[in-house]
Structures are given as C-alpha cells and as structure tokens.
Amino acid sequence: MSAKISPLAGKPATEGTLVDLPALLAAYADLKPDPAVPEQRVAFGTSGHRGSSFNRSFNEAHVLAVVQAICEYRKQAGVDGPVYVGIDTHALSQPAFESTLEVLAANGVDTMVSAGGEYTPTPAVSHAILVHNRGRDSGKADGIVITPSHNPPDAGGIKYNPPHGGPADTDATKWIADRANALIEGGLRDVRRMPYAQAARASTTHAFDFLQRYVGDLGDALDLDIIRASGVRMGVDPLGGAGVHYWSAIGERYGLDLTVVSEVVDKTFAFMSLDWDGKVRMDPSSAYAMQRLIHLKDTFDVAFACDTDHDRHGVVAPSTGLMPANHYLAAAAWYLFQNRPGWSPDAAVGKTAVSTGLLDRVAAHLKRPLLEVPVGFKYFVPGLFDGSVGFGCEESAGASFLAKDASAWSTDKDGLVAALLAGEMTARLGRDPGEVYRDITGLLGDPANARIDAPASHAQKQKLSKLAPGQVSSQTLAGDAITSVVNQADGQPIGGIKVMSAQAWFAARPSGTEDIYKVYGESFRGKDHLAKVLEEAQAMVDQALG
C-alpha cells in the first residue's frame, strides 16, 4: 500500500515521455468505446466523467452521448435557460468542446461560449450561472465544463453544473451516465448533432465574456483594496491552465503587485516538473509538480498556482515553501471566520472526511459549527448556496467561500479566490500564511499528516469503496483506543472507511478520477506516531480486503 516514488519525480517533464498530441487527437475521433467493458463506459466520479482517448474512456462517443443526456436531463428538470460552457487547456478539451456545441445546437439549447475563444476556469462558469440565476424563477441557466482538472495531458473530462452552480449531485450524474451509456449502446442513433461550423454560427450560440464577468466581480469575494494598499508582492504560476489570462487582468484592474510567472500554454505541459509517479500532472498541491514556483519562494511575499481548470490552488510562503494543502486550508478557515463580519455567526466550517482534524479544532475554538462530508465538493453546494457554510474545503486543495456579504460567490471549487486570499491574509496580518499556520498549531496542536497514493484496478477500487465498519476488528490505533469506525459522513457514504482515535485517524478510499487508491492518515502525536498509524492502516485494510 505504499506509493513508489519515481526516480523522475520533481525532474523536468522533458526527462519523461511527453504525450503524442496527434495520436491523442486521432484516437478521440477514431477509437470507439465498448460499453461491455466497465472501464470504457461513462462513469461520473467525484467531478464528472474523465478518461483518455487512448484507453477508449474519453472519446467522441462519450462526449456526444453525455451532452445529449444532459440536454434530456435539463429538459425533464425544467431547466430552460442557457447553458454556460467552459473549457480548459488540455488537448482533448478542444475537440470535446466542438462535440459539445454540435449536440447543444442541434437540440436548440441556448449556449454561452467564451468570447474570443478564451479558456474558462471552472469557477468562472459557476459564478456566471449564479449571477444569471439571481432572482429568477424561470429561465434558469446551468453549465458544462470540459476539463479533467489536474489530470495528465492525455486526459479529457466533462462535468455538469445544475442551476445551483456547483457540481451535480449523484442523482443527476447517475441519470446522465445511465442515459449516456444507453445512447452509446444504441450506436448514438438518438443523439442529435449538426456540423461544428454550423453549430458555431447557430442562432442559439452566443459569445459571453466570462473573464470580465468574473474579474469585475472579484471585489465581492476579496478585500482587494487592502492588498493594493499594502503593496504585497504576489507571484502566480497558472501552470498553463484555463486562468492563464485572468491573472494579468486581475492585477491590472485592481492595481495589484501581481507577477504572472508564465503565460505559456503548451498542451504537452512540457514546462512542468514530473509528479510523484513520474507522470505530468498539473497538481498545485504536489511539491514534485510545483518545482518551478517553489524555486521562486523568496522572490515574493506570497506566491500561488492553480491547476488546469483553476479549481484547485497551491500556496508558496517564504516562511515554509509550498504549504501542504491541509496547512493552508486551516490557515484560510482561521482567517476567514475572523475577518468576514458580513457572514452569519452560524455559518459552518465545511470539510471533507479526509481533511485535517485541525479544522475541527479551529471550528471549536472559533465556536463555529463543523460540517464534515464525504469526498466530493458537491456536498458543500447547498451550504455555499444558502450561506449556511462559510467555507468549504477538501484536502486535495479545493475550496470556495461566500462573498463578503454572505451571498454565494462560487458553489464549485475556486482556485483563484483561494489563492488570492493568501495575499489578503498577508496584507491584513503582516504575516504570510505559513506563519499564520504556525500560530494556529502553537495554540491548537500540530498534526502530522500524510497521504499515500498507489495504483489500483477497477475491481480493487470497487471492493475498497464498499468496506463496512464491521470489517475492521482492531480495538486500538497506534496504541490509542479506537473511538469510532465509520463509512459515512453527514449521512452519506464516504466510499471507503475512516478509523479514529482521540489523537489520530486514517481513512482509505479509491480515487474517483484516477486508477489509484488513497490512504490518508493524521496524528497529533507527531511523525513517528503517524508512521505507526499508516502501518496499521495498511494491515487493517489488507485484512478487510481479504
């Protein structure tokens, strides 16, 4: 159960094998999925359907079927406003965008596409949906985002955001996936489609300036005046992602000292450093993948990066270097709930079941409710929509929070506001987020945590996702009495298992987006104790899996 760190980890991507773009694009059009093979069917993970055209898991047939299914779903759900469509910089995103538009236009759906062909971050789509729907009882909008998030360059992805602006819940995604698979099994005969050139000129296709809408409203979510007045020097690496042109627009509009390290878009992502497994992965929370920005930590007062669709963030502080995601999330929650007087005193701290237990202690110290949910940002959507959750976060560096007046800002993960919050924090407190984190742990305890990623087959992932508390027979965890064993959070299955003591916990679950499983562990007794926790986690899960 231990992940093998590749000898190439952290080295330039050019030392590995870069994706063959012509072959990838040819495979999108030429290879047909076999619906009898589970890995080739449409399956929505924690955030949409993802795969690679090489593996017949993300091909033209998948996208055509998914979008036709979305058209049918929104019709039966009574959603009759426009669809806002976003697209990231992955190579497969452009042909998938064309397939998407072909189906939407043929179905007569009003479609808002980015003006001038600009790339569109996930949070810009979420925010546009929320703004459109404000005060409406009819004509409500929803959205489609074409992205596999931080996944490798050969990946493609598509996800659906209903009128609440966030990721669709399981009921919606199951309906869409089931219908899409039926359409593929039927040879796509019931898919309506027109040629792309015709779809692009259709009367239902409209240009929309996502960038100006999002950038223009940013002051609703952040105190940009204090960042400007303090002169905090910020650096950002867009990692060649969808927000690549948003950052300079933000800096110019609000007069910020914000340096964009690079605006290069290269669909092989050859400028990256290789991740833990020697693959190119645009993960801003990975020290292996973030080498370019880590080397600049002393150049700025705070620096940050976002993944390809800009729904995740990574923060580099001079005091610490790249902050582990859990560290920054704890600092962000600590700061926000003491500096957002417009929020309800009952607004909760939201976290996933595998995020740091320090967030539990932060919530208790600040006398805030805690909402713990399964992995998947969709579980925060209702609270971020109605203001009952002030800040929702997951340990994989995804977060969003309310606007300053407690209205919904983005009900999907927003890497831009989460990253820029580091600048606001530094400006107001005169301390970088790493120093803020140190202050919190001095008061509430300093947890050691780790996550192990390892390869897993489809069958292994299925088995792990169905573990029940009764399959764990141990009474202690690394010397402490086990206080609870659960496979649910907030009444929903977590897709794995979580074992807790008073000072430590571990959770094991399969990834919803890649062929890996993850074991998370944390201890408030230090790194040696954490090592024992993870060792025993391995034994318990191995025993439970037989």
Side-chain angles (χ1 to χ4, degrees):
M1 275 184 63
S2 59
K4 291 182 179 173
I5 304 301
S6 166
L8 292 175
K11 293 187 176 178
T14 47
E15 294 192 23
T17 302
L18 297 178
V19 64
D20 182 338
L21 294 177
L24 182 75
L25 297 173
Y28 176 80
D30 296 342
L31 297 185
K32 312 299 181 194
D34 180 351
V37 179
E39 291 84 354
Q40 295 180 25
R41 292 174 68 79
V42 172
F44 278 71
T46 48
S47 190
H49 171 74
R50 299 179 186 175
S52 173
S53 61
F54 289 142
N55 302 333
R56 300 176 194 257
S57 53
F58 190 86
N59 303 84
E60 183 180 67
H62 295 102
V63 179
L64 296 173
V66 166
V67 179
Q68 180 64 41
I70 289 172
C71 290
E72 296 173 16
Y73 175 83
R74 69 194 304 270
K75 192 170 185 179
Q76 70 152 28
V79 182
D80 55 357
V83 174
Y84 287 84
V85 178
I87 174 177
D88 80 358
T89 57
H90 276 81
L92 287 174
S93 294
Q94 182 59 36
F97 170 79
E98 294 175 11
S99 300
T100 297
L101 196 59
E102 290 171 4
V103 175
L104 291 172
N107 279 271
V109 176
D110 276 308
T111 304
M112 314 301 278
V113 300
S114 192
E118 181 62 66
Y119 299 111
T120 317
T122 286
V125 174
S126 177
H127 183 68
I129 294 168
L130 291 169
V131 171
H132 177 94
N133 291 342
R134 213 168 274 157
R136 284 180 185 268
D137 294 320
S138 62
K140 289 188 175 181
D142 51 5
I144 294 171
V145 191
I146 298 162
T147 175
S149 190
H150 62 297
N151 285 17
D154 69 344
I158 184 167
K159 60 183 181 178
Y160 174 61
N161 287 36
H164 57 50
D169 65 20
T170 308
D171 290 344
T173 56
K174 184 180 186 307
W175 193 99
I176 292 166
D178 287 349
R179 177 60 179 148
N181 285 318
L183 288 164
I184 293 171
E185 288 164 358
L188 304 178
R189 283 187 300 274
D190 293 331
V191 173
R192 296 180 184 174
R193 182 185 186 187
M194 67 171 63
Y196 175 68
Q198 185 182 342
R201 294 193 307 270
S203 61
T204 52
T205 301
H206 313 280
F208 180 78
D209 199 334
F210 285 96
L211 188 152
Q212 290 304 321
R213 169 88 273 169
Y214 182 91
V215 173
D217 291 347
L218 202 52
D220 295 345
L222 295 159
D223 188 345
L224 298 166
D225 292 338
I226 199 169
I227 300 178
R228 179 177 62 252
S230 69
V232 169
R233 293 172 297 120
M234 299 180 291
V236 58
D237 189 344
L239 301 181
V244 63
H245 300 131
Y246 279 58
W247 296 103
S248 56
I250 291 167
E252 289 165 16
R253 183 176 184 110
Y254 297 102
L256 308 181
D257 188 346
L258 178 60
T259 301
V260 183
V261 171
S262 172
E263 287 194 341
V264 170
V265 174
D266 171 2
K267 295 182 187 300
T268 67
F269 295 88
F271 52 78
M272 290 295 298
S273 47
L274 295 165
D275 205 4
W276 63 273
D277 54 358
K279 291 184 179 179
V280 178
R281 188 179 288 108
M282 290 64 71
D283 182 354
S285 63
S286 165
Y288 298 111
M290 284 278 282
Q291 287 297 303
R292 181 162 77 175
L293 196 63
I294 291 170
H295 290 148
L296 298 172
K297 80 177 180 69
D298 297 324
T299 307
F300 304 105
D301 296 320
V302 67
F304 31 81
C306 289
D307 68 338
T308 322
D309 70 320
H310 273 47
D311 71 343
R312 301 183 189 217
H313 62 274
V315 172
V316 176
S319 63
T320 57
L322 178 67
M323 293 183 70
N326 275 317
H327 293 199
Y328 180 65
L329 296 172
W334 177 263
Y335 172 81
L336 281 167
F337 285 95
Q338 296 180 86
N339 290 280
R340 289 296 186 269
W343 292 5
S344 163
D346 297 324
V349 178
K351 56 163 278 197
T352 56
V354 297
S355 300
T356 177
L358 188 57
L359 284 161
D360 304 48
R361 298 186 179 196
V362 166
H365 183 81
L366 298 178
K367 298 181 171 55
R368 288 280 179 172
L370 179 81
L371 174 69
E372 182 166 301
V373 301
V375 174
F377 207 77
K378 61 192 173 191
Y379 297 107
F380 296 123
V381 170
L384 288 169
F385 188 75
D386 67 16
S388 61
V389 172
F391 173 72
C393 66
E394 49 188 24
E395 61 77 42
S396 53
S400 191
F401 48 89
L402 298 176
K404 291 183 292 187
D405 67 358
S407 64
W409 165 256
S410 169
T411 46
D412 211 325
K413 298 189 289 284
D414 190 336
L416 291 101
V417 297
L420 284 164
L421 183 70
E424 182 190 323
M425 198 184 306
T426 304
R428 176 166 275 114
L429 303 180
R431 300 168 70 68
D432 74 41
E435 294 170 311
V436 173
Y437 179 78
R438 219 161 32 225
D439 294 343
I440 300 167
T441 56
L443 184 67
L444 302 180
D446 189 3
N449 44 45
R451 187 181 95 191
I452 298 169
D453 293 359
S457 68
H458 185 77
Q460 289 171 319
K461 287 170 64 176
Q462 286 289 102
K463 201 169 184 183
L464 183 55
S465 72
K466 292 180 170 61
L467 279 185
Q471 290 174 263
V472 175
S473 57
S474 305
Q475 301 298 308
T476 60
L477 176 61
D480 296 326
I482 289 175
T483 56
S484 66
V485 181
V486 298
N487 61 358
Q488 291 192 333
D490 196 36
Q492 300 278 347
I494 62 175
I497 203 149
K498 185 174 183 180
V499 177
M500 289 164 277
S501 71
Q503 295 294 330
W505 62 269
F506 81 82
R509 58 175 294 275
S511 168
T513 58
E514 294 184 86
D515 288 331
I516 58 175
Y517 65 82
K518 305 176 182 186
V519 177
Y520 310 78
E522 183 170 67
S523 170
F524 280 85
R525 294 196 191 277
K527 290 183 178 177
D528 291 344
H529 190 250
L530 173 63
K532 292 179 184 172
V533 169
L534 291 171
E535 183 182 339
E536 292 188 16
Q538 175 176 349
M540 284 188 215
V541 174
D542 284 351
Q543 184 180 11
L545 291 177

